[in-house]
Amino acid sequence: MCGIVGYLGNKEAYPILIKGLHRLEYRGYDSAGVALVNSSSDLKVYKTKGKVADLESYTKGKDVSGTIGIAHTRWATHGEPNNVNAHPHYSQSESLALIHNGIIENYAVIKEDLIKRGYKFQSDTDTEVLVQLIEYIKNTNKIGLCQAVQLALTQAVGAYAIAVIEKGNPNQIIAARKSSPLVIGIGDDEFFLASDATPIIEYTNRVIYLDDEEVAIIRRGEEVHIKTLANVEKTHEVKELELSLNELEKGGFPHFMLKEIYEQPKRIAEAMRGRINVEANSVALAGVIDNKEKFLNARRILIVACGTSWHAGLIGEYLLEEFARIPVEVEYASEFRYRNPIINKGDIVIAISQSGETADTLAAIELARNAGAFVYGICNVVGSSIPRNTDSGSYTHVGPEIGVASTKAFTAQVTVLSLIALTIAHLKGTIEPDRYQELIKELASIPAKMIRTLEVNAQIKDFASIFTYAKNFIYLGRGYNYPVALEGALKLKEISYIHAEGYPAAEMKHGPIALIDAEMPVVVIAPNKGMYEKTISNIQEVKARKGRVISIITEGDETVKKLSDYTIEIPETEECFVPLLASIPLQLMAYHIAVVKGCNVDQPRNLAKSVTVE
Ligand code: F6R
């Protein structure tokens, strides 16, 4: 939610900032802006409603010179997306410019106080309050910018990653963070800052991750200084990024989402690499093995997550209960954090997140840790806040996911949950050795089966246009495929704007069946496993009401084929691994319907990839 980027060095800042904004555009695309200090030490701000491309058009022919600058791409929280509310925000005297990712919760109180002191506000944002407060403190106390930022932030309640530059000083950026991500890149005589490493990797792989309530003083010709808000000096290890540049390109695909769907076989294999050994018949997940006693003695596992990651958590519940025989509860992080949950000694909390920055999930982790729980993270983005705030965990290793709709991260989360369940089951002896071996072998074969599953793309592309008429969709699944139905429905609604609901198939007759008529497409995940016969009965119920059935079936299943209007075949696999294959046609269906409808697949309206506000 909102992307921030900054540069200080010997090169022209503007092209670096624009490129950085393009990389961060997945975080929000309501408006974009840039602030630069040029060689005459003038501070210029250019900003506009719309995307980074709109900012580029807006700045054509304008003076965008300068070797220091900050830039922002916005996901609106306070104030509608318009030119005035776009960042950077000037202070009253226009001597400071500030960008911000996060929310200042007590902005109204501060604003009222500043208005009484004669400050005038241009925008409806919480951010403008911060820059005005910094200026007020700086001028009244006659102190430098860094100290003014430190003092201002001690008054701010909420979340922030900010960067500030000032007129007359082309040699300094002050940046700070609390509960919103901020990475500083260290090059040769140049510095970068950004919400994540993607704008930085092109120039340097040496980075520092700031911690909460820390301020970075980035000055030309000096080392980066880091201090707390209370002015205590901090030293940070410089970390090496493992990201590669071509992971950030579309690689010949029309959209990142399609590229990421197609990457799944390779990425899932990577998620299993070094963790599964078919020859030795073993699964070994370091995070679990290292904390063996905790997992062996766990009385209960609580899974906290949001959105797609929550759907993966539901599949985790089925896996962990079936194989590891540990009771599991899956919670929306946003509910968990505010409902005074009971967390017992011996509970393990698993937090799942692609970005590692989701505000609600981070708050749920904090709550769980304060209550004494052991917290395990399943996360994709290396070095993000969640892995840094959990006791242990596993990365999903799927590389950057740039399409806003999560695809490969979901299947990788399910893969890691499968590995966790199998590792614990083996350690606890809750699985028969033969069954354990069968499942390991089958899990290892999933990447190859995913390649075969992707062959349905052409078929789905063909029939996608038929369903663009639909205003509603229903998705049905049972057991392991109930969360797959939820995830399929979420994918469709977020990128095609078609309303869709996922249900456990048997729940349909308790209400949703009233919606079914000849216009209603009903997607049924109906593999020849689990409650196959019962799912067939549910399909019959839909057909009896003239619903249009699109079923995901096991290769060669003629029975369900005959009952369905459209069928998509996936390779046969174990019931517990069907979600890894069945999700792929659902991702492709949402993708093709959205493309035919002319929707912006990678940047759907109102959404942002990294939800750093609650
Ligand atoms: C949907 C989607 C979101 C995220 C959710 C949690 O396609 O991407 O629902 O799953 O915002 O994000 P993470 O996993 O980054 O915590």
Side-chain angles (χ1 to χ4, degrees), residues 238-267:
V238 176
K239 301 246 162 73
E240 265 194 32
L241 291 173
E242 282 170 14
L243 202 63
S244 84
L245 200 54
N246 61 10
E247 288 181 299
L248 306 175
E249 311 291 344
K250 285 191 196 139
F253 285 89
H255 297 99
F256 280 109
M257 183 179 175
L258 192 61
K259 176 190 174 216
E260 287 157 9
I261 292 172
Y262 267 86
E263 270 177 29
Q264 287 175 107
K266 181 172 152 241
R267 295 304 192 175

Side-chain angles (χ1 to χ4, degrees), residues 4 98-100 130 134 149 153 160-164 174-176 182:
I4 67 172
L98 178 144
I99 49 173
H100 170 217
L130 210 49
I134 294 169
V149 168
L153 291 178
Y160 52 78
I162 60 162
V164 201
I174 303 293
L182 190 59

Side-chain angles (χ1 to χ4, degrees), residues 67-233:
T67 55
I68 169 173
I70 54 177
H72 188 269
T73 178
R74 179 169 187 243
W75 186 87
T77 55
H78 290 64
E80 64 174 90
N82 60 24
N83 295 345
V84 178
N85 290 333
H87 300 212
H89 288 282
Y90 269 133
S91 59
Q92 177 134 306
S93 68
E94 297 195 352
S95 65
L96 302 180
L98 178 144
I99 49 173
H100 170 217
N101 163 214
I103 288 183
I104 304 302
E105 289 167 11
N106 60 339
Y107 79 100
V109 184
I110 301 173
K111 187 170 181 174
E112 210 179 294
D113 186 54
L114 287 169
I115 288 171
K116 279 191 202 137
R117 295 172 196 276
Y119 272 75
K120 291 201 169 51
F121 287 81
Q122 311 296 323
S123 77
D124 306 318
T125 64
D126 51 335
T127 304
E128 193 186 1
V129 171
L130 210 49
V131 71
Q132 303 281 39
L133 180 65
I134 294 169
E135 176 169 291
Y136 170 73
I137 290 174
K138 184 171 179 287
N139 292 347
T140 45
N141 296 296
K142 302 203 173 8
I143 52 178
L145 181 59
C146 176
Q147 217 185 333
V149 168
Q150 285 170 309
L151 289 175
L153 291 178
T154 54
Q155 292 186 33
V157 177
Y160 52 78
I162 60 162
V164 201
I165 53 175
E166 64 184 325
K167 187 177 173 172
N169 191 350
N171 300 316
Q172 175 181 266
I173 302 177
I174 303 293
R177 73 153 272 183
K178 183 185 174 194
S179 305
S180 290
L182 190 59
V183 190
I184 295 169
I186 301 166
D188 293 335
D189 297 325
E190 59 184 357
F191 302 99
F192 306 82
L193 66 88
S195 301
D196 69 29
T198 58
I200 297 176
I201 187 65
E202 203 161 333
Y203 312 99
T204 178
N205 65 354
R206 299 175 66 234
V207 296
I208 292 173
Y209 294 97
L210 278 198
D211 284 333
D212 275 354
E213 303 199 339
E214 286 184 347
V215 180
I217 303 119
I218 302 166
R219 289 198 184 118
R220 208 178 286 280
E222 291 181 18
E223 305 262 293
V224 175
H225 291 286
I226 297 169
K227 293 179 174 183
T228 64
L229 295 188
N231 209 31
V232 177
E233 296 268 354

